[in-house]
């Protein structure tokens, strides 16, 4: 009996061992084929179709101190194809900022911080410390032009990776370029005889002139002189500054309101317009809206967060919760106090600290930093009798106008975007609501600050970052599923002669199909966004006509 049991156990063991050995051998065979043939074939195709002239190539000069390895993408993509959970279940992300950076804290607590001790360096280095982990899927970096420091598709930017900055996005985030694109966009609409309603809906910034453009600079000083004459002759009542000046700096730097002293300074610098065309500094003069909507006597701005999930085709989402920024001082159009006019967070924080003398408390913080409450504005307007109590003003009036302004803004600058599904961008757009309840776009910020000034805001920021990552990984997972299916059903079963498929055969037979698989055309149903994700999808350029913009814009206006 014992002999029988031992014999049976030996047979079972041999059977299991044979199966495991065959599985192991098959796994090794697939791994070898992927690493030596199929993945290099696809990576080579991707690199051959990447337009490197769009990038300012400065390889091996990285401020992130990460070493580039020529075979990195082959290793990374092969690993993910063999171990799907790395992408389908986990979120491996790189974020280089640390102390005081809420995004990094969120990633560390809810996702996987791929390089724990990475820090940005003040100067580029060639003494590399960090090896990029092959499981990394999202470069969520503060550094805007990481692709300049590596061979895209070889040292980073693999098939199953996202990079958080789109080359060419300066057309929107540079104030000078934003104005140039806006002027050209409106000019093109007029040229094709678009209706006044179309043009009105597409008008998203106050009248603005660029002082580094001679004709616009001269027009500005001509108008400024006319205003000064009218004020002196008392044919016009002075009600605060008519213009403010902006540079391409952020965080409130470089903003000047044109009170009398500032008018004298700018007039002297430009010799009252005589030096227009000879001053190269990029300054814009923007019409100042001196009748803003007030909240408890303070001017407010609201910030909308948007996520460009892909630039090929363009996929844009807007976060449904806005961040309201209140100016530190009460509004008075005649006040020369900058914190009464500019609601920038950096200016507000500085002013708040000076006023509180170090005795800040949570109640003061919550009063200064209003937490995500456009609904509160709707309630206030109803209390004031400015909108009907039964009207859903936010959903029927304000949000549709915000969507339309954002869509037109993106359309005006997207000609310069590098089109590649590996690139994405998280941005913040600042709007002003005036006393007539019209909205005006003030500026677009890349790498927007995500602050932790109140407990409620921390909670809401956790939710926003998690919702953003859900979208990013939904597109990555969908692409992964398409490419893996393509490998299993098409490429591995393709009948060819010789040891491996030649690149020319792959291009001719599969090139068009593979290009389509690389694009972020849709999110697979299996990876649909959760019902409580607070992003609204407002641009999907894989669709046709006005459906690209979810019918928010009339076809005649496109």
């Amino acid at each position: 009996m014992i002999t029988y049991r031992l014999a049976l156990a030996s047979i079972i063991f041999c059977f299991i061992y044979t199966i495991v050995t065959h599985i192991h051998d098959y796994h090794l065979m697939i791994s070898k084929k992927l690493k030596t043939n199929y993945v290099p074939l696809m990576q080579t195709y991707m690199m051959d179709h990447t337009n490197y002239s769009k990038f300012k190539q400065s390889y091996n000069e990285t401020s992130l101190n990460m070493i580039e390895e020529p075979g990195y993408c082959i290793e990374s993509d092969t690993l993910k194809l063999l171990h799907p959970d790395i992408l389908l279940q986990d979120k491996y992300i790189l974020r280089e900022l640390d102390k005081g950076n809420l995004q990094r804290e969120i990633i560390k607590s809810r996702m996987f911080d791929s390089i724990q001790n990475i820090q940005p360096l003040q100067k580029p280095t060639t003494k590399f410390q960090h090896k990029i982990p092959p499981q990394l899927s999202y470069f969520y970096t503060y550094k805007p032009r990481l692709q300049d420091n590596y061979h895209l598709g070889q040292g980073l930017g693999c098939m199953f990776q996202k990079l958080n900055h789109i080359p060419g996005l300066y057309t929107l985030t540079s104030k000078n370029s934003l104005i140039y694109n806006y002027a050209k966009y409106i000019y093109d609409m007029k040229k094709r005889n678009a209706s006044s309603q179309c043009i009105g809906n597409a008008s998203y910034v106050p009248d603005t002139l660029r002082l580094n453009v001679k004709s616009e600079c001269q027009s500005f000083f001509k108008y400024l002189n006319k205003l000064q004459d009218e004020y002196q002759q008392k044919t016009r009542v002075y009600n605060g500054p008519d213009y403010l000046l902006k540079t391409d700096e952020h965080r409130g730097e470089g903003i000047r309101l044109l009170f009398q002293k500032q008018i004298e300074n700018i007039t002297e610098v430009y010799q009252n317009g005589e030096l227009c065309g000879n001053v190269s500094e990029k300054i814009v003069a923007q019409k100042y809206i001196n009748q803003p909507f007030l909240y408890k006597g303070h001017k407010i701005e609201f910030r909308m967060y948007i996520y460009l999930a892909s630039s090929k085709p363009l996929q844009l989402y807007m976060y449904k919760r806005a961040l309201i920024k209140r100016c530190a001082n009460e509004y008075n159009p005649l006040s020369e106090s900058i914190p009464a006019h500019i609601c920038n967070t950096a200016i507000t924080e500085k002013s708040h600290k000076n006023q509180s003398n170090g005795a800040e408390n949570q109640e003061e913080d919550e009063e200064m930093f209003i937490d995500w409450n456009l609904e509160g504005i709707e309630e206030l307007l109803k209390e004031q009798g400015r909108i009907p109590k039964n009207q859903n003003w936010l959903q029927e009036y304000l949000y549709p106008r915000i969507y339309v302004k954002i869509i037109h803004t993106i359309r005006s600058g997207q000609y310069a975007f590098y089109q590649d599904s590996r690139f994405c961008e998280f941005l913040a757009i600042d709007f002003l609501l005036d006393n007539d309840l019209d909205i005006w776009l003030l500026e677009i910020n890349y790498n927007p600050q995500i602050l932790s000034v109140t407990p409620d805001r921390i909670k809401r920021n956790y939710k926003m970052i998690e919702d953003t990552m859900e979208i990013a990984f939904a597109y990555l997972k969908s692409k992964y599923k398409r490419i893996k299916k393509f490998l299993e059903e098409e490429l591995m079963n393709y009948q060819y002669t010789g040891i491996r498929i030649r690149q020319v055969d792959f291009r001719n037979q599969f090139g068009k199909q593979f290009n389509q698989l690389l694009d972020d055309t849709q999110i697979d149903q299996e990876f649909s966004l959760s019902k409580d994700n607070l992003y609204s999808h407002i641009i999907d350029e894989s669709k046709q006509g006005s459906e690209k913009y979810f019918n928010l814009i009339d076809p005649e206006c496109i």
Side-chain angles (χ1 to χ4, degrees):
M1 189 68 177
I2 295 175
T3 305
Y4 171 77
R5 288 181 177 178
L6 286 173
L8 182 62
S10 298
I11 293 170
I12 294 172
F13 174 79
C14 291
F15 178 73
I16 293 174
Y17 177 80
T18 303
I19 291 175
V20 170
T21 301
H22 276 85
I23 292 173
H24 178 70
D25 291 344
Y26 177 76
H27 184 83
L28 286 178
M29 179 191 71
I30 294 297
S31 175
K32 185 177 180 181
K33 281 189 175 182
L34 285 171
K35 194 167 186 177
T36 60
N37 191 5
Y38 300 119
V39 172
L41 194 69
M42 293 186 288
Q43 290 293 348
T44 302
Y45 182 88
M46 286 176 65
M47 291 181 67
D48 287 347
H49 290 78
T50 296
N51 184 1
Y52 289 99
S53 66
K54 287 282 186 180
F55 310 138
K56 179 186 175 184
Q57 303 301 337
S58 52
Y59 298 129
N60 297 325
E61 294 181 6
T62 170
S63 64
L64 297 187
N65 205 14
M66 299 187 304
I67 189 170
E68 177 181 64
E69 296 179 305
Y72 170 74
C73 278
I74 294 174
E75 180 184 3
S76 176
D77 289 335
T78 301
L79 183 68
K80 289 166 185 167
L81 286 167
L82 291 171
H83 303 281
D85 284 356
I86 291 174
L87 183 61
L88 300 183
Q89 299 297 326
D90 302 328
K91 292 183 177 72
Y92 287 93
I93 302 169
L94 177 110
R95 182 74 178 178
E96 76 272 33
L97 299 182
D98 199 353
K99 293 181 180 178
N101 186 257
L102 188 59
Q103 290 102 311
R104 186 86 184 264
E105 293 176 15
I106 294 170
I107 290 165
K108 285 182 175 180
S109 63
R110 302 289 175 87
M111 304 164 206
F112 290 94
D113 188 11
S114 291
I115 303 180
Q116 294 286 330
N117 59 341
I118 193 168
Q119 291 287 342
L121 303 174
Q122 295 299 318
K123 294 181 180 180
T125 180
T126 54
K127 295 181 179 179
F128 304 111
Q129 178 184 356
H130 304 295
K131 178 181 178 181
I132 308 175
Q135 66 268 35
L136 179 59
S137 298
Y138 198 145
F139 287 85
Y140 185 51
T141 63
Y142 187 83
K143 180 178 173 61
R145 296 193 60 83
L146 197 64
Q147 69 279 354
D148 292 344
N149 305 130
Y150 297 87
H151 289 80
L152 191 65
Q154 181 175 326
L156 88 166
C158 312
M159 277 188 292
F160 310 124
Q161 287 182 340
K162 283 277 190 185
L163 287 82
N164 184 47
H165 294 292
I166 299 174
L169 203 81
Y170 68 88
T171 54
L172 297 180
T173 57
S174 160
K175 296 180 182 67
N176 205 273
S177 296
L178 177 68
I179 298 307
Y180 170 82
N181 290 318
Y182 168 73
K184 185 177 184 304
Y185 190 73
I186 297 297
Y187 173 80
D188 289 342
M189 289 186 77
K190 291 178 179 178
K191 193 175 179 180
R192 66 172 188 265
N193 296 319
S195 69
S196 57
Q197 184 177 358
C198 288
I199 294 171
N201 290 336
S203 300
Y204 50 84
V205 298
D207 292 340
T208 309
L209 295 166
R210 296 165 295 164
L211 300 191
N212 63 319
V213 177
K214 186 175 181 178
S215 60
E216 295 182 24
C217 177
Q218 290 173 337
S219 296
F220 170 70
F221 282 101
K222 183 178 179 180
Y223 183 69
L224 200 62
N225 289 331
K226 181 175 178 289
L227 281 174
Q228 291 294 88
D229 290 341
E230 290 177 354
Y231 289 138
Q232 289 174 3
Q233 295 170 16
K234 297 185 178 179
T235 57
R236 181 190 290 261
V237 177
Y238 180 73
N239 191 31
D242 292 280
Y243 280 91
L244 55 80
L245 303 180
K246 294 181 178 180
T247 66
D248 271 343
E249 296 180 76
H250 292 275
R251 294 178 57 81
E253 299 291 337
I255 296 178
R256 288 174 285 168
L257 278 82
L258 286 186
F259 295 104
Q260 192 59 46
K261 184 178 179 181
Q262 285 74 27
I263 289 175
E264 292 173 1
N265 289 340
I266 196 74
T267 301
E268 182 179 347
V269 170
Y270 285 83
Q271 296 285 296
N272 199 27
E274 292 294 325
L275 294 183
C276 284
N278 296 319
V279 180
S280 60
E281 185 180 5
K282 290 185 177 181
I283 299 175
V284 298
Q286 189 169 83
K287 188 70 176 173
Y288 184 62
I289 298 172
N290 56 18
Q291 290 187 322
F293 175 81
L294 300 181
Y295 176 82
K296 295 183 179 181
H298 291 249
K299 180 180 174 182
I300 61 172
E301 297 171 3
F302 60 91
R303 170 167 286 189
M304 307 303 303
Y305 292 98
I306 64 172
Y307 184 56
L308 279 158
S310 173
S311 62
K312 187 184 181 186
L314 195 68
Q315 301 286 359
L316 177 66
Y317 294 77
M318 192 196 85
Y319 205 62
K320 294 176 185 176
R321 285 178 174 161
L323 172 64
I324 298 179
K325 302 188 293 181
R326 193 190 81 166
C327 283
N329 296 350
E330 286 192 18
Y331 180 72
N332 180 345
L334 300 178
S335 170
E336 296 195 15
S337 168
I338 292 296
H341 297 272
I342 307 300
C343 304
N344 184 278
T345 302
I347 292 175
T348 301
E349 277 188 309
K350 184 178 180 180
S351 177
H352 182 41
K353 288 178 181 177
N354 291 340
Q355 292 172 12
S356 65
N357 295 318
E360 298 175 71
N361 56 47
Q362 183 175 323
E363 184 177 345
E364 288 175 331
D365 282 342
E366 290 177 351
E367 182 69 14
M368 186 60 61
F369 303 101
I370 307 168
D371 278 324
W372 311 72
N373 196 7
L374 280 178
E375 290 78 6
I377 293 178
E378 182 179 46
E379 292 172 9
L380 183 61
L381 289 170
K382 288 180 179 179
E383 288 175 10
Q384 295 173 347
R386 299 189 61 184
I387 58 175
K389 289 191 176 181
N390 61 350
Q391 181 186 358
N392 191 348
W393 177 80
L394 199 61
Q395 299 299 328
E396 296 173 3
Y397 176 86
L398 189 62
Y399 274 139
R401 279 161 177 76
I402 292 172
Y403 293 152
V404 168
K405 304 291 185 191
I406 290 175
I407 290 170
H408 282 302
T409 306
I410 298 298
R411 277 171 53 84
S412 74
Q414 74 177 99
Y415 67 90
F417 296 177
Y418 186 75
Q419 296 185 17
D420 192 305
S421 63
R422 286 169 287 183
F423 293 105
C424 57
E425 191 93 33
F426 177 67
L427 299 165
I429 304 183
D430 292 335
F431 287 95
L432 174 73
L433 183 69
D434 68 19
N435 203 42
D436 294 325
L437 304 186
D438 288 330
I439 57 170
W440 301 95
L441 189 151
L442 301 178
E443 65 177 354
I444 301 178
N445 301 278
Y446 74 94
N447 283 330
Q449 282 186 299
I450 305 295
L451 299 177
S452 52
V453 290
T454 67
D456 187 54
R457 189 178 292 188
I458 293 173
K459 180 181 177 182
R460 292 175 186 270
N461 281 332
Y462 264 75
K463 170 68 174 163
M464 181 173 68
I465 297 302
E466 288 176 329
D467 285 354
T468 305
M469 295 303 167
E470 183 184 17
I471 295 172
F473 278 88
Y475 278 106
L476 274 174
K477 291 173 186 178
S478 300
K479 181 189 295 184
Y480 176 87
K481 182 178 178 180
R482 293 193 302 268
I483 290 177
K484 189 165 187 183
K485 184 179 179 182
F486 164 72
L487 265 170
E488 293 171 345
E489 296 183 0
E490 299 283 350
L491 202 54
M492 287 184 177
N493 294 325
Y494 176 65
Q495 297 298 316
Y496 60 94
T497 58
I499 300 174
R500 61 179 63 195
I501 306 175
R502 296 182 306 165
Q503 190 67 41
V504 64
D505 295 330
F506 177 84
R507 184 182 68 244
N508 294 337
Q509 184 71 21
F510 300 109
K512 184 177 180 180
Q513 180 184 358
F514 186 62
N515 268 332
Q516 293 171 345
L517 297 175
L518 291 172
D519 293 346
D520 283 337
T521 52
Q522 61 183 352
I523 293 175
D524 191 274
Q525 188 174 358
E526 181 183 350
F527 311 117
S528 297
L529 303 183
S530 55
K531 292 182 179 179
D532 65 342
N533 190 300
L534 293 176
Y535 274 100
S536 292
H537 201 178
I538 62 174
I539 296 181
D540 179 357
E541 290 206 334
S542 68
K543 298 181 178 180
Q544 299 296 319
S546 60
E547 289 187 3
K548 290 181 181 180
Y549 313 111
F550 295 86
N551 298 311
L552 291 163
I553 299 178
D554 292 335
E556 64 171 312
C557 301
I558 299 174

